Amino acid sequence: MSRSWKAYLPLLWILIIPVINIFYAILNQAHIPVYSLMTDLDAHIPFVPIFIIPYLIWYPFIFIVLILLCVREQKVYYRTLVTQCIGLLACYLIFFLFQTTVDRPQTMGSGIFERLVGLVYSTDNPYNCFPSIHVLTSYLMIKGAVGSDFVSKRERTAVKVCAWSIIVSTLFVKQHVLLDVAGAIALVEILWYGVGRLSRGQQSKFKGEIVRQENVY
């Protein structure tokens, strides 16, 4: 019983995420200058309020996938969590040095989805856009699920569908533009590779130490 309880202790490291997110609130306001990365292609993407549903699903989705990885394969769990923490800190540094904004629709309907969008707008200022944290963390969950040998094909598919729905939703609810999405995906690819190389290097060093100690004896 105690062994199974201890197996879940690594989940406590997830609590570092809300601590790091304190910086988001501090930086989520206009600095001078504020840039716009909107392109002509972004202008042709329609505002589709119903996509606020996958946008909001992001909150439980991230924690559910991290829990799944922790239970199934802690090596991948730690790699995913470390990548996420470094990615968040990198985003906050970019927000501080290169603050961007997104043009939001001036008029919306009065339906339930429009009201949900309005609620998001009222609690999240239109800054901290590049790169998108929604996209960064959602895409990272795909990397983690695919990178684990103990996540089933069906579970990987579910993660991919949810993650890409969230990523697309950031464009349709006008919280982000295409360059925000591209920047976040590129950042994940770089950090995932770097954290993986660092982890393998540490493991090789540890194995080398064991071999040297065995040779001594």
Side-chain angles (χ1 to χ4, degrees):
M1 184 69 176
S2 59
R3 181 179 298 178
S4 62
W5 176 77
K6 289 181 179 180
Y8 291 95
L9 282 178
L11 286 173
L12 293 175
W13 285 110
I14 294 178
L15 297 176
I16 198 173
I17 296 174
V19 174
I20 295 176
N21 281 342
I22 294 174
F23 292 104
Y24 183 90
I26 296 174
L27 296 170
N28 192 23
Q29 53 188 316
H31 301 292
I32 297 179
V34 178
Y35 301 93
S36 174
L37 299 179
M38 188 171 182
T39 64
D40 291 339
L41 189 56
D42 288 297
H44 287 86
I45 297 176
F47 171 62
V48 186
I50 195 173
F51 273 92
I52 195 62
I53 300 302
Y55 186 86
L56 293 175
I57 287 175
W58 172 76
Y59 296 93
F61 169 73
I62 299 302
F63 289 102
I64 289 172
V65 177
L66 287 175
I67 292 171
L68 174 67
L69 293 176
C70 182
V71 172
R72 296 293 176 81
E73 189 173 357
Q74 289 192 2
K75 180 179 70 175
V76 177
Y77 163 73
Y78 281 120
R79 182 180 181 183
T80 305
L81 186 60
V82 169
T83 302
Q84 178 164 341
C85 291
I86 296 175
L88 289 174
L89 292 174
C91 286
Y92 298 148
L93 179 61
I94 295 172
F95 297 159
F96 178 74
L97 297 175
F98 184 72
Q99 185 63 277
T100 61
T101 187
V102 172
D103 291 332
R104 291 172 168 175
Q106 297 298 315
T107 58
M108 295 186 294
S110 57
I112 184 172
F113 300 123
E114 288 84 355
R115 290 200 295 271
L116 285 173
V117 174
L119 178 61
V120 170
Y121 286 179
S122 66
T123 57
D124 185 18
N125 293 327
Y127 306 106
N128 292 358
C129 300
F130 176 85
S132 166
I133 288 179
H134 258 65
V135 174
L136 181 141
T137 50
S138 297
Y139 186 71
L140 178 58
M141 296 306 108
I142 296 177
K143 301 291 288 187
V146 172
S148 174
D149 294 329
F150 299 96
V151 175
S152 69
K153 183 177 181 180
R154 181 178 297 180
E155 290 166 337
R156 290 178 185 176
T157 300
V159 170
K160 289 178 181 179
V161 170
C162 288
W164 281 111
S165 296
I166 294 168
I167 291 170
V168 170
S169 76
T170 65
L171 300 173
F172 284 121
V173 298
K174 298 301 178 179
Q175 281 287 82
H176 291 284
V177 295
L178 289 167
L179 287 176
D180 300 337
V181 173
I185 292 175
L187 183 57
V188 169
E189 290 288 352
I190 293 169
L191 293 179
W192 182 259
Y193 174 79
V195 172
R197 284 291 300 270
L198 181 63
S199 176
R200 287 191 292 272
Q202 291 296 322
Q203 290 176 6
S204 298
K205 182 178 178 181
F206 179 70
K207 291 178 181 178
E209 290 292 336
I210 292 177
V211 171
R212 281 192 292 270
Q213 290 178 8
E214 291 177 344
N215 290 337
V216 170
Y217 291 107

